[in-house]
Amino acid sequence: MGALFSKSMNASVKDAVLGIKPGMCSNEYCIQRYLARRLMARYHVVIDGIEVDVLGNGWAAEVKMGSHFYDGIGQALAYRRILGIEEVWLIHVVDGDPSQHLNKLPLLIAGLGIMAAIVHRGGVEFI
């Protein structure tokens, strides 16, 4: 995979995520396109049979919208462990009550090397 996965964009990804607002898009594809445009990345990239929602230089993101707190973890873990992408983001956009995401998602991803962002009506929480 080489240089494609070497450069960290942590601050830029966070800045882009801060621009996501619940209700700005009606589906995950819209959020994926937004992140790709904002970060000069690609979306819906297939690598070794694994579809990556958003792929940048040194990072990848799995985007979930209106999903359960446990959704997307396997996909994000595949980016990290199978594809070898060092900076992996799981981004959940929650229009309703975010309490399960805020309380349970950190427990699920602890120790996996996956960063997460929960976008909700009250703001954005980074894990």
Side-chain angles (χ1 to χ4, degrees), residues 4 14-15 37 56 67-68 70 72 74 77 79 81 92 94 126:
L4 179 64
K14 280 186 174 182
D15 291 342
R37 275 193 314 270
S67 298
H68 297 286
Y70 50 79
L77 194 55
Y79 300 169
R81 303 257 171 100
H92 274 261
V94 181
F126 291 101

Side-chain angles (χ1 to χ4, degrees), residues 109-125:
I109 66 169
L112 297 179
I114 297 169
M115 292 170 279
I118 303 165
V119 179
H120 56 95
R121 296 247 176 239
V124 179
E125 303 293 326

